[in-house]
Amino acid sequence: MVCAVRRSWLPVVLSAALLTAACTDSNPKPEATNSAAPSVSPSPAGPDYSVWAAGRSTPVADPVYPNYGNSGVDVLHYGLDLAWQPETKTLTGTATLQLRAAADLTEVKLDFSKAYALDGVTLNGVAATGTVADTKLTVPGTVAKDAFATLVVKYHGTPTTVPMPSHRSDVEPLGLTVTKDGGLWTMQEPYGAATWYPVNDQPSDKALYDIAVTVPDGWSAIASGTLKSQDGNTFKYTAAQPVASYLTTLAVGQYKKEAATGPHGIPLTYWYRQGPDDKALPYLRKSPQYLDWLEKHFGPYPFDSAGVLMVPSVSGMETQQMITMGLPDYGNDANFKAGFDADLLHEYAHQWFGDAVTPTNWNDLWLNEGWASYAQHLYTNERDKVTAKQWEDWARGVDARLRKNLGPPGKPKADSFAESNVYMCPALMLHQIHKQIGDAAFFAMATDWAQKNRGTTQDRASFIAFVNQHTGKDFTSLINTWLDSPTTPK
């Protein structure tokens, strides 16, 4: 995620060199019910669930946002068939979920917005009763631990957003947003996916996706994954590698599309609005250079396509395979050139750190943002000829202020999501490891972390174990101190 530029961090002498976005910083409807039939126990017969095996996860309850997610459900695959009508601002959807019971279930409970009316629910092909209350969809039905089931939910309604739990200067509502001209766009970290489909909205449950979106003539639909086909006005996207729900994206609008090719043939797609996004185009077209720089440091790009989607936001988001970017106010053209360049590199770095390897819970957001921020600063230091010592001297001053104002990065506050301490403080921690082991060993470690853990979720304990094993040194105390200390470690 991109965070608003905080210019007060930057000494005048280094402002040009170090300008980055240090952290890319309706009324509710009544309860909806489908009472077509009582709930039934799912039959063991059904499809071959092994085709979705790559979507298998080990869900855990999130300690930061415990009201979202269900550790008893492991969704393997989401099939979303959506249609958008701008005139009535109506989203119509059929969500088909293949899931595994991670515990014995007497009901399937998922996150879902009560903005939608249910038009039908089935569990393993049998009509079931679905109820939406608060932020939860509940479908009664018995599923034994490690048994599989298919849940189909049909729904329609006008999307509504939810508040973002943060004090950042670029805070916007989370989830699927309807624009004045009838378009759609979304950024949804940490829990806004439930504003457009029924979902296990927590980072530990990664899944495969197929998303089809039907739009009016002259409109385009863009989603995370790879565009596989366009049949008339229906755009179809597939994510063949597992995706955390906060990393999905959806946009509908009158977009221009530009195709390109990245390193070793990676297909790239840029979606933009002619006029509002013109100033971003030169940087979108630098995507092959960003990917080339990142591959040299962290190994092969981890997915089968990449791209950038421009939306009317003031932030940016590392949505998987299709980065969602807005246009922050950088103050002037010089700052825009330095800042947007750095922000886009930051979001591409997340494809390795956060997307391919995802934190198990939101306490470990630093695993995403620390790595992406450090990559961003390595890139801008190289670009602007800033030495490692100059950067560290500046960064230590920033770190001290952030720890004083926001606390240490290892246990962020629930009402302060993705604030600047989870960006700069762990980036500076990584720099300490980098200094101790040198370039070759550090980038070998970083590459192996991203490549050998692709498709998984990880946490602090697994990171420490990996670093110690990979380097042959004990960095346990260093890492824990940098993550937990209320003041900047020496």
Side-chain angles (χ1 to χ4, degrees), residues 212-215 227-236:
V213 189
T214 301
V215 294
L227 178 61
K228 288 299 184 182
S229 67
Q230 181 182 346
D231 301 327
N233 291 350
T234 300
F235 295 74
K236 297 181 179 180

Side-chain angles (χ1 to χ4, degrees), residues 232-396:
N233 291 350
T234 300
F235 295 74
K236 297 181 179 180
Y237 295 83
T238 295
Q241 291 95 2
V243 187
S245 57
Y246 77 95
L247 293 169
T248 59
T249 196
L250 174 66
V252 175
Q254 294 175 315
Y255 275 92
K256 296 290 185 180
K257 176 186 174 184
E258 186 172 309
T261 302
H264 47 82
I266 298 169
L268 303 173
T269 310
Y270 317 132
W271 296 90
Y272 64 96
R273 300 158 300 152
Q274 195 164 22
D277 300 324
D278 288 354
K279 65 189 301 186
L281 270 176
Y283 301 94
L284 272 55
R285 291 167 179 159
K286 281 184 64 176
S287 293
Q289 296 166 247
Y290 297 134
L291 292 176
D292 185 63
W293 188 93
L294 289 161
E295 285 197 340
K296 287 176 180 176
H297 290 81
F298 307 118
Y301 177 74
F303 305 113
D304 56 12
S305 67
V308 185
L309 160 67
M310 297 300 300
V311 299
S313 170
V314 296
S315 190
M317 183 66 207
E318 64 269 21
T319 42
Q320 193 161 309
Q321 297 181 249
M322 182 57 64
I323 291 166
T324 309
M325 286 296 292
L327 287 172
D329 180 7
Y330 294 94
N332 57 53
D333 287 344
N335 287 348
F336 174 82
K337 291 176 181 178
F340 193 81
D341 180 56
D343 286 347
L344 194 47
L345 184 283
H346 178 109
E347 303 305 349
Y348 270 123
H350 270 306
Q351 303 300 305
W352 283 257
F353 304 107
D355 295 15
V357 187
T358 303
T360 301
N361 67 73
W362 288 120
N363 269 333
D364 292 317
L365 179 59
W366 63 269
L367 261 176
N368 290 8
E369 300 300 351
W371 274 110
S373 296
Y374 194 48
Q376 172 186 350
H377 287 295
L378 290 171
Y379 170 80
T380 55
N381 289 350
E382 181 181 301
R383 180 191 71 187
D384 300 329
K385 297 179 174 54
V386 175
T387 68
K389 184 180 185 307
Q390 285 175 311
W391 178 79
E392 182 170 354
D393 288 345
W394 167 78
R396 281 182 170 273

Side-chain angles (χ1 to χ4, degrees), residues 450-466:
Q451 301 297 329
K452 293 183 177 179
N453 293 311
R454 283 165 62 172
T456 70
T457 64
Q458 301 292 329
D459 59 16
R460 182 197 297 210
S462 63
F463 178 72
I464 291 173
F466 180 89

Side-chain angles (χ1 to χ4, degrees), residues 31 59 66-75 78 97 99-113 121 123 129-143 149 151 153 194 197-202 205:
E31 182 176 291
N67 292 333
Y68 285 86
N70 181 351
S71 61
V73 173
D74 170 20
V75 181
Y78 295 90
L97 283 64
L99 59 89
R100 176 184 68 89
D104 290 330
L105 302 177
T106 57
E107 61 185 14
V108 177
K109 184 169 284 191
L110 297 166
D111 304 294
F112 194 42
S113 172
V121 179
L123 190 58
T129 300
T131 303
V132 180
D134 296 324
T135 60
K136 295 292 183 182
L137 164 68
T138 303
V139 180
T142 302
V143 188
L151 174 69
V153 182
Y197 63 101
V199 58
N200 200 18
D201 213 354
Q202 59 183 21
D205 187 6

